[in-house]
Amino acid sequence: QVHVVESGGGLVQAGGSLRLSCAASGSAFTINAMGWHRQAPGKQRELVAAFTRGGSTMYADSVKARFTISRDNAKNTVHLQMNGLKPEDTAVYYCYARELWRDYWGQGTQVTVSS
C-alpha cells in the first residue's frame, strides 16, 4: 500500500509564494508518475502539474509560468513551487503517486491566497 503525504500549504497574500512537498512511501514497484491536483470550493478537482510516466511535465494553463514541479525519483518526492499566487489559486491541493495502473492520493493541503 502506497502512502502519500503532502506538506507546505498555508495562507499567503496575493503575489506571494509557497512550496508544496509530497512524499510517497511503501511502494512495492516503481512510482511511475506523480503530480498535483487541486479542488476549490464548489468546483471539480483539476490537474495543476504532474510528471508523466515518460518523465515529461504537464501544467494547467492557469498556472504555467507561475508554478514549477520538480522531483527526486530516488526519494519518491515531488515539490510544487508556486509563485505569483492569486486568490483563484485558493484550493485544497492533492498529491498523487501512480504505482503500476493505480493512483494513490494524499489527504490534501490547504492553500489560501488573500487579496
Side-chain angles (χ1 to χ4, degrees), residues 58-87:
M58 52 192 304
Y59 293 91
D61 287 343
S62 60
V63 307
K64 284 180 181 177
R66 298 189 297 124
F67 292 9
T68 303
I69 190 170
S70 60
R71 67 181 176 179
D72 183 338
N73 285 338
K75 297 180 180 179
N76 284 335
T77 60
V78 290
H79 307 282
L80 186 66
Q81 179 66 41
M82 305 185 293
N83 299 327
L85 282 161
K86 304 175 180 180

PDB file of all heavy atoms in Angstrom, residues 58-87:
ATOM      1  N   MET A  58       3.607  18.367 -17.240  1.00  0.00           N
ATOM      2  CA  MET A  58       2.417  18.992 -17.796  1.00  0.00           C
ATOM      3  C   MET A  58       1.844  19.939 -16.756  1.00  0.00           C
ATOM      4  O   MET A  58       1.922  19.667 -15.545  1.00  0.00           O
ATOM      5  CB  MET A  58       1.394  17.932 -18.215  1.00  0.00           C
ATOM      6  CG  MET A  58       1.044  16.910 -17.164  1.00  0.00           C
ATOM      7  SD  MET A  58       0.114  15.505 -17.838  1.00  0.00           S
ATOM      8  CE  MET A  58      -1.277  16.301 -18.604  1.00  0.00           C
ATOM      9  N   TYR A  59       1.299  21.047 -17.232  1.00  0.00           N
ATOM     10  CA  TYR A  59       0.767  22.082 -16.358  1.00  0.00           C
ATOM     11  C   TYR A  59      -0.600  22.528 -16.861  1.00  0.00           C
ATOM     12  O   TYR A  59      -0.864  22.546 -18.066  1.00  0.00           O
ATOM     13  CB  TYR A  59       1.680  23.315 -16.351  1.00  0.00           C
ATOM     14  CG  TYR A  59       3.032  23.115 -15.719  1.00  0.00           C
ATOM     15  CD1 TYR A  59       4.126  22.709 -16.483  1.00  0.00           C
ATOM     16  CD2 TYR A  59       3.231  23.341 -14.360  1.00  0.00           C
ATOM     17  CE1 TYR A  59       5.369  22.529 -15.902  1.00  0.00           C
ATOM     18  CE2 TYR A  59       4.479  23.180 -13.779  1.00  0.00           C
ATOM     19  CZ  TYR A  59       5.538  22.768 -14.558  1.00  0.00           C
ATOM     20  OH  TYR A  59       6.786  22.598 -13.986  1.00  0.00           O
ATOM     21  N   ALA A  60      -1.431  22.920 -15.918  1.00  0.00           N
ATOM     22  CA  ALA A  60      -2.671  23.595 -16.292  1.00  0.00           C
ATOM     23  C   ALA A  60      -2.316  24.949 -16.886  1.00  0.00           C
ATOM     24  O   ALA A  60      -1.356  25.601 -16.448  1.00  0.00           O
ATOM     25  CB  ALA A  60      -3.558  23.774 -15.068  1.00  0.00           C
ATOM     26  N   ASP A  61      -3.072  25.391 -17.859  1.00  0.00           N
ATOM     27  CA  ASP A  61      -2.793  26.681 -18.488  1.00  0.00           C
ATOM     28  C   ASP A  61      -2.791  27.813 -17.469  1.00  0.00           C
ATOM     29  O   ASP A  61      -2.020  28.767 -17.585  1.00  0.00           O
ATOM     30  CB  ASP A  61      -3.835  26.969 -19.570  1.00  0.00           C
ATOM     31  CG  ASP A  61      -3.642  26.108 -20.802  1.00  0.00           C
ATOM     32  OD1 ASP A  61      -2.545  25.530 -20.974  1.00  0.00           O
ATOM     33  OD2 ASP A  61      -4.601  26.000 -21.597  1.00  0.00           O
ATOM     34  N   SER A  62      -3.637  27.704 -16.468  1.00  0.00           N
ATOM     35  CA  SER A  62      -3.783  28.776 -15.493  1.00  0.00           C
ATOM     36  C   SER A  62      -2.566  28.957 -14.595  1.00  0.00           C
ATOM     37  O   SER A  62      -2.442  29.985 -13.923  1.00  0.00           O
ATOM     38  CB  SER A  62      -5.020  28.525 -14.634  1.00  0.00           C
ATOM     39  OG  SER A  62      -4.899  27.297 -13.942  1.00  0.00           O
ATOM     40  N   VAL A  63      -1.667  27.969 -14.562  1.00  0.00           N
ATOM     41  CA  VAL A  63      -0.512  28.067 -13.662  1.00  0.00           C
ATOM     42  C   VAL A  63       0.811  28.100 -14.403  1.00  0.00           C
ATOM     43  O   VAL A  63       1.870  28.276 -13.775  1.00  0.00           O
ATOM     44  CB  VAL A  63      -0.492  26.908 -12.635  1.00  0.00           C
ATOM     45  CG1 VAL A  63      -1.827  26.827 -11.895  1.00  0.00           C
ATOM     46  CG2 VAL A  63      -0.145  25.587 -13.277  1.00  0.00           C
ATOM     47  N   LYS A  64       0.788  27.930 -15.716  1.00  0.00           N
ATOM     48  CA  LYS A  64       2.033  27.966 -16.482  1.00  0.00           C
ATOM     49  C   LYS A  64       2.755  29.270 -16.239  1.00  0.00           C
ATOM     50  O   LYS A  64       2.142  30.316 -16.149  1.00  0.00           O
ATOM     51  CB  LYS A  64       1.725  27.796 -17.966  1.00  0.00           C
ATOM     52  CG  LYS A  64       1.396  26.370 -18.367  1.00  0.00           C
ATOM     53  CD  LYS A  64       1.111  26.277 -19.864  1.00  0.00           C
ATOM     54  CE  LYS A  64       0.771  24.852 -20.258  1.00  0.00           C
ATOM     55  NZ  LYS A  64       0.432  24.744 -21.691  1.00  0.00           N
ATOM     56  N   ALA A  65       4.056  29.198 -16.150  1.00  0.00           N
ATOM     57  CA  ALA A  65       4.949  30.338 -15.926  1.00  0.00           C
ATOM     58  C   ALA A  65       4.921  30.830 -14.483  1.00  0.00           C
ATOM     59  O   ALA A  65       5.711  31.701 -14.114  1.00  0.00           O
ATOM     60  CB  ALA A  65       4.626  31.503 -16.854  1.00  0.00           C
ATOM     61  N   ARG A  66       4.020  30.288 -13.660  1.00  0.00           N
ATOM     62  CA  ARG A  66       3.998  30.679 -12.244  1.00  0.00           C
ATOM     63  C   ARG A  66       4.382  29.515 -11.336  1.00  0.00           C
ATOM     64  O   ARG A  66       5.001  29.720 -10.289  1.00  0.00           O
ATOM     65  CB  ARG A  66       2.600  31.174 -11.856  1.00  0.00           C
ATOM     66  CG  ARG A  66       2.156  32.409 -12.611  1.00  0.00           C
ATOM     67  CD  ARG A  66       0.862  32.971 -12.020  1.00  0.00           C
ATOM     68  NE  ARG A  66      -0.248  32.036 -12.141  1.00  0.00           N
ATOM     69  CZ  ARG A  66      -0.972  31.610 -11.100  1.00  0.00           C
ATOM     70  NH1 ARG A  66      -0.700  32.019  -9.872  1.00  0.00           N
ATOM     71  NH2 ARG A  66      -1.988  30.760 -11.284  1.00  0.00           N
ATOM     72  N   PHE A  67       3.993  28.305 -11.705  1.00  0.00           N
ATOM     73  CA  PHE A  67       4.255  27.122 -10.886  1.00  0.00           C
ATOM     74  C   PHE A  67       5.311  26.252 -11.555  1.00  0.00           C
ATOM     75  O   PHE A  67       5.363  26.149 -12.780  1.00  0.00           O
ATOM     76  CB  PHE A  67       2.985  26.285 -10.717  1.00  0.00           C
ATOM     77  CG  PHE A  67       1.900  26.908  -9.889  1.00  0.00           C
ATOM     78  CD1 PHE A  67       1.954  28.233  -9.468  1.00  0.00           C
ATOM     79  CD2 PHE A  67       0.801  26.161  -9.511  1.00  0.00           C
ATOM     80  CE1 PHE A  67       0.944  28.803  -8.701  1.00  0.00           C
ATOM     81  CE2 PHE A  67      -0.225  26.702  -8.750  1.00  0.00           C
ATOM     82  CZ  PHE A  67      -0.137  28.030  -8.351  1.00  0.00           C
ATOM     83  N   THR A  68       6.122  25.611 -10.733  1.00  0.00           N
ATOM     84  CA  THR A  68       7.123  24.686 -11.240  1.00  0.00           C
ATOM     85  C   THR A  68       7.108  23.409 -10.416  1.00  0.00           C
ATOM     86  O   THR A  68       7.201  23.465  -9.177  1.00  0.00           O
ATOM     87  CB  THR A  68       8.533  25.295 -11.173  1.00  0.00           C
ATOM     88  OG1 THR A  68       8.559  26.519 -11.908  1.00  0.00           O
ATOM     89  CG2 THR A  68       9.562  24.345 -11.759  1.00  0.00           C
ATOM     90  N   ILE A  69       7.009  22.282 -11.099  1.00  0.00           N
ATOM     91  CA  ILE A  69       7.051  20.994 -10.419  1.00  0.00           C
ATOM     92  C   ILE A  69       8.444  20.403 -10.565  1.00  0.00           C
ATOM     93  O   ILE A  69       9.066  20.516 -11.614  1.00  0.00           O
ATOM     94  CB  ILE A  69       5.974  20.023 -10.972  1.00  0.00           C
ATOM     95  CG1 ILE A  69       5.868  18.785 -10.103  1.00  0.00           C
ATOM     96  CG2 ILE A  69       6.236  19.677 -12.432  1.00  0.00           C
ATOM     97  CD1 ILE A  69       4.662  17.897 -10.446  1.00  0.00           C
ATOM     98  N   SER A  70       8.929  19.815  -9.488  1.00  0.00           N
ATOM     99  CA  SER A  70      10.235  19.168  -9.517  1.00  0.00           C
ATOM    100  C   SER A  70      10.128  17.856  -8.751  1.00  0.00           C
ATOM    101  O   SER A  70       9.166  17.635  -8.013  1.00  0.00           O
ATOM    102  CB  SER A  70      11.317  20.064  -8.902  1.00  0.00           C
ATOM    103  OG  SER A  70      11.003  20.357  -7.561  1.00  0.00           O
ATOM    104  N   ARG A  71      11.129  16.989  -8.909  1.00  0.00           N
ATOM    105  CA  ARG A  71      11.030  15.689  -8.267  1.00  0.00           C
ATOM    106  C   ARG A  71      12.400  15.134  -7.886  1.00  0.00           C
ATOM    107  O   ARG A  71      13.423  15.533  -8.413  1.00  0.00           O
ATOM    108  CB  ARG A  71      10.334  14.692  -9.187  1.00  0.00           C
ATOM    109  CG  ARG A  71      11.150  14.363 -10.430  1.00  0.00           C
ATOM    110  CD  ARG A  71      10.415  13.397 -11.317  1.00  0.00           C
ATOM    111  NE  ARG A  71      11.148  13.155 -12.552  1.00  0.00           N
ATOM    112  CZ  ARG A  71      10.736  12.335 -13.502  1.00  0.00           C
ATOM    113  NH1 ARG A  71       9.598  11.669 -13.367  1.00  0.00           N
ATOM    114  NH2 ARG A  71      11.449  12.157 -14.587  1.00  0.00           N
ATOM    115  N   ASP A  72      12.355  14.215  -6.968  1.00  0.00           N
ATOM    116  CA  ASP A  72      13.516  13.423  -6.574  1.00  0.00           C
ATOM    117  C   ASP A  72      13.078  11.970  -6.699  1.00  0.00           C
ATOM    118  O   ASP A  72      12.410  11.448  -5.806  1.00  0.00           O
ATOM    119  CB  ASP A  72      13.946  13.770  -5.152  1.00  0.00           C
ATOM    120  CG  ASP A  72      15.194  13.022  -4.716  1.00  0.00           C
ATOM    121  OD1 ASP A  72      15.497  11.956  -5.298  1.00  0.00           O
ATOM    122  OD2 ASP A  72      15.862  13.495  -3.788  1.00  0.00           O
ATOM    123  N   ASN A  73      13.454  11.332  -7.780  1.00  0.00           N
ATOM    124  CA  ASN A  73      12.991   9.963  -8.026  1.00  0.00           C
ATOM    125  C   ASN A  73      13.458   8.987  -6.959  1.00  0.00           C
ATOM    126  O   ASN A  73      12.738   8.069  -6.572  1.00  0.00           O
ATOM    127  CB  ASN A  73      13.459   9.483  -9.395  1.00  0.00           C
ATOM    128  CG  ASN A  73      12.668  10.111 -10.513  1.00  0.00           C
ATOM    129  OD1 ASN A  73      11.556  10.579 -10.311  1.00  0.00           O
ATOM    130  ND2 ASN A  73      13.245  10.134 -11.700  1.00  0.00           N
ATOM    131  N   ALA A  74      14.684   9.201  -6.489  1.00  0.00           N
ATOM    132  CA  ALA A  74      15.239   8.271  -5.507  1.00  0.00           C
ATOM    133  C   ALA A  74      14.433   8.270  -4.215  1.00  0.00           C
ATOM    134  O   ALA A  74      14.369   7.265  -3.514  1.00  0.00           O
ATOM    135  CB  ALA A  74      16.692   8.624  -5.217  1.00  0.00           C
ATOM    136  N   LYS A  75      13.807   9.418  -3.935  1.00  0.00           N
ATOM    137  CA  LYS A  75      13.053   9.533  -2.682  1.00  0.00           C
ATOM    138  C   LYS A  75      11.546   9.507  -2.916  1.00  0.00           C
ATOM    139  O   LYS A  75      10.780   9.656  -1.975  1.00  0.00           O
ATOM    140  CB  LYS A  75      13.440  10.823  -1.959  1.00  0.00           C
ATOM    141  CG  LYS A  75      14.902  10.873  -1.538  1.00  0.00           C
ATOM    142  CD  LYS A  75      15.213  12.191  -0.822  1.00  0.00           C
ATOM    143  CE  LYS A  75      16.672  12.238  -0.392  1.00  0.00           C
ATOM    144  NZ  LYS A  75      16.991  13.524   0.286  1.00  0.00           N
ATOM    145  N   ASN A  76      11.124   9.344  -4.156  1.00  0.00           N
ATOM    146  CA  ASN A  76       9.684   9.377  -4.485  1.00  0.00           C
ATOM    147  C   ASN A  76       9.025  10.627  -3.911  1.00  0.00           C
ATOM    148  O   ASN A  76       7.990  10.561  -3.225  1.00  0.00           O
ATOM    149  CB  ASN A  76       8.977   8.125  -3.978  1.00  0.00           C
ATOM    150  CG  ASN A  76       9.257   6.914  -4.847  1.00  0.00           C
ATOM    151  OD1 ASN A  76       9.565   7.048  -6.031  1.00  0.00           O
ATOM    152  ND2 ASN A  76       9.167   5.740  -4.266  1.00  0.00           N
ATOM    153  N   THR A  77       9.641  11.758  -4.174  1.00  0.00           N
ATOM    154  CA  THR A  77       9.078  13.026  -3.721  1.00  0.00           C
ATOM    155  C   THR A  77       8.904  13.977  -4.900  1.00  0.00           C
ATOM    156  O   THR A  77       9.657  13.917  -5.879  1.00  0.00           O
ATOM    157  CB  THR A  77       9.972  13.702  -2.667  1.00  0.00           C
ATOM    158  OG1 THR A  77      11.252  13.949  -3.249  1.00  0.00           O
ATOM    159  CG2 THR A  77      10.118  12.849  -1.435  1.00  0.00           C
ATOM    160  N   VAL A  78       7.917  14.819  -4.790  1.00  0.00           N
ATOM    161  CA  VAL A  78       7.735  15.900  -5.746  1.00  0.00           C
ATOM    162  C   VAL A  78       7.475  17.176  -4.965  1.00  0.00           C
ATOM    163  O   VAL A  78       6.965  17.141  -3.846  1.00  0.00           O
ATOM    164  CB  VAL A  78       6.560  15.662  -6.730  1.00  0.00           C
ATOM    165  CG1 VAL A  78       6.890  14.569  -7.698  1.00  0.00           C
ATOM    166  CG2 VAL A  78       5.265  15.411  -6.000  1.00  0.00           C
ATOM    167  N   HIS A  79       7.851  18.283  -5.595  1.00  0.00           N
ATOM    168  CA  HIS A  79       7.628  19.586  -4.998  1.00  0.00           C
ATOM    169  C   HIS A  79       6.894  20.461  -6.012  1.00  0.00           C
ATOM    170  O   HIS A  79       7.056  20.288  -7.221  1.00  0.00           O
ATOM    171  CB  HIS A  79       8.956  20.237  -4.621  1.00  0.00           C
ATOM    172  CG  HIS A  79       9.811  19.368  -3.762  1.00  0.00           C
ATOM    173  ND1 HIS A  79       9.594  19.209  -2.414  1.00  0.00           N
ATOM    174  CD2 HIS A  79      10.874  18.589  -4.078  1.00  0.00           C
ATOM    175  CE1 HIS A  79      10.498  18.385  -1.921  1.00  0.00           C
ATOM    176  NE2 HIS A  79      11.278  17.990  -2.902  1.00  0.00           N
ATOM    177  N   LEU A  80       6.129  21.388  -5.486  1.00  0.00           N
ATOM    178  CA  LEU A  80       5.436  22.342  -6.349  1.00  0.00           C
ATOM    179  C   LEU A  80       5.771  23.734  -5.845  1.00  0.00           C
ATOM    180  O   LEU A  80       5.308  24.137  -4.770  1.00  0.00           O
ATOM    181  CB  LEU A  80       3.931  22.104  -6.324  1.00  0.00           C
ATOM    182  CG  LEU A  80       3.115  22.959  -7.295  1.00  0.00           C
ATOM    183  CD1 LEU A  80       3.449  22.586  -8.744  1.00  0.00           C
ATOM    184  CD2 LEU A  80       1.613  22.790  -7.043  1.00  0.00           C
ATOM    185  N   GLN A  81       6.591  24.434  -6.598  1.00  0.00           N
ATOM    186  CA  GLN A  81       6.934  25.814  -6.267  1.00  0.00           C
ATOM    187  C   GLN A  81       5.895  26.708  -6.912  1.00  0.00           C
ATOM    188  O   GLN A  81       5.736  26.699  -8.135  1.00  0.00           O
ATOM    189  CB  GLN A  81       8.329  26.166  -6.777  1.00  0.00           C
ATOM    190  CG  GLN A  81       8.739  27.595  -6.498  1.00  0.00           C
ATOM    191  CD  GLN A  81       8.890  27.885  -5.014  1.00  0.00           C
ATOM    192  OE1 GLN A  81       9.417  27.072  -4.262  1.00  0.00           O
ATOM    193  NE2 GLN A  81       8.404  29.046  -4.580  1.00  0.00           N
ATOM    194  N   MET A  82       5.196  27.462  -6.089  1.00  0.00           N
ATOM    195  CA  MET A  82       4.116  28.307  -6.577  1.00  0.00           C
ATOM    196  C   MET A  82       4.481  29.769  -6.335  1.00  0.00           C
ATOM    197  O   MET A  82       4.613  30.196  -5.196  1.00  0.00           O
ATOM    198  CB  MET A  82       2.806  27.961  -5.857  1.00  0.00           C
ATOM    199  CG  MET A  82       2.432  26.482  -5.952  1.00  0.00           C
ATOM    200  SD  MET A  82       0.823  26.101  -5.244  1.00  0.00           S
ATOM    201  CE  MET A  82       1.146  26.438  -3.515  1.00  0.00           C
ATOM    202  N   ASN A  83       4.663  30.499  -7.408  1.00  0.00           N
ATOM    203  CA  ASN A  83       4.995  31.916  -7.341  1.00  0.00           C
ATOM    204  C   ASN A  83       3.859  32.740  -7.932  1.00  0.00           C
ATOM    205  O   ASN A  83       3.043  32.217  -8.698  1.00  0.00           O
ATOM    206  CB  ASN A  83       6.286  32.191  -8.112  1.00  0.00           C
ATOM    207  CG  ASN A  83       7.474  31.449  -7.542  1.00  0.00           C
ATOM    208  OD1 ASN A  83       7.572  31.225  -6.335  1.00  0.00           O
ATOM    209  ND2 ASN A  83       8.391  31.059  -8.411  1.00  0.00           N
ATOM    210  N   GLY A  84       3.829  34.004  -7.601  1.00  0.00           N
ATOM    211  CA  GLY A  84       2.797  34.874  -8.144  1.00  0.00           C
ATOM    212  C   GLY A  84       1.402  34.378  -7.846  1.00  0.00           C
ATOM    213  O   GLY A  84       0.520  34.407  -8.711  1.00  0.00           O
ATOM    214  N   LEU A  85       1.185  33.934  -6.619  1.00  0.00           N
ATOM    215  CA  LEU A  85      -0.103  33.344  -6.275  1.00  0.00           C
ATOM    216  C   LEU A  85      -1.239  34.344  -6.388  1.00  0.00           C
ATOM    217  O   LEU A  85      -1.066  35.541  -6.097  1.00  0.00           O
ATOM    218  CB  LEU A  85      -0.043  32.745  -4.869  1.00  0.00           C
ATOM    219  CG  LEU A  85       0.680  31.391  -4.803  1.00  0.00           C
ATOM    220  CD1 LEU A  85       1.111  31.085  -3.374  1.00  0.00           C
ATOM    221  CD2 LEU A  85      -0.193  30.289  -5.349  1.00  0.00           C
ATOM    222  N   LYS A  86      -2.381  33.832  -6.804  1.00  0.00           N
ATOM    223  CA  LYS A  86      -3.579  34.639  -6.993  1.00  0.00           C
ATOM    224  C   LYS A  86      -4.700  34.091  -6.104  1.00  0.00           C
ATOM    225  O   LYS A  86      -4.691  32.908  -5.769  1.00  0.00           O
ATOM    226  CB  LYS A  86      -4.024  34.580  -8.457  1.00  0.00           C
ATOM    227  CG  LYS A  86      -2.969  35.009  -9.452  1.00  0.00           C
ATOM    228  CD  LYS A  86      -3.460  34.809 -10.878  1.00  0.00           C
ATOM    229  CE  LYS A  86      -2.408  35.225 -11.894  1.00  0.00           C
ATOM    230  NZ  LYS A  86      -2.891  35.033 -13.292  1.00  0.00           N
ATOM    231  N   PRO A  87      -5.679  34.917  -5.758  1.00  0.00           N
ATOM    232  CA  PRO A  87      -6.796  34.406  -4.953  1.00  0.00           C
ATOM    233  C   PRO A  87      -7.468  33.196  -5.573  1.00  0.00           C
ATOM    234  O   PRO A  87      -7.932  32.299  -4.855  1.00  0.00           O
ATOM    235  CB  PRO A  87      -7.738  35.605  -4.878  1.00  0.00           C
ATOM    236  CG  PRO A  87      -6.838  36.793  -4.966  1.00  0.00           C
ATOM    237  CD  PRO A  87      -5.761  36.378  -5.934  1.00  0.00           C
TER     238      PRO A  87
END
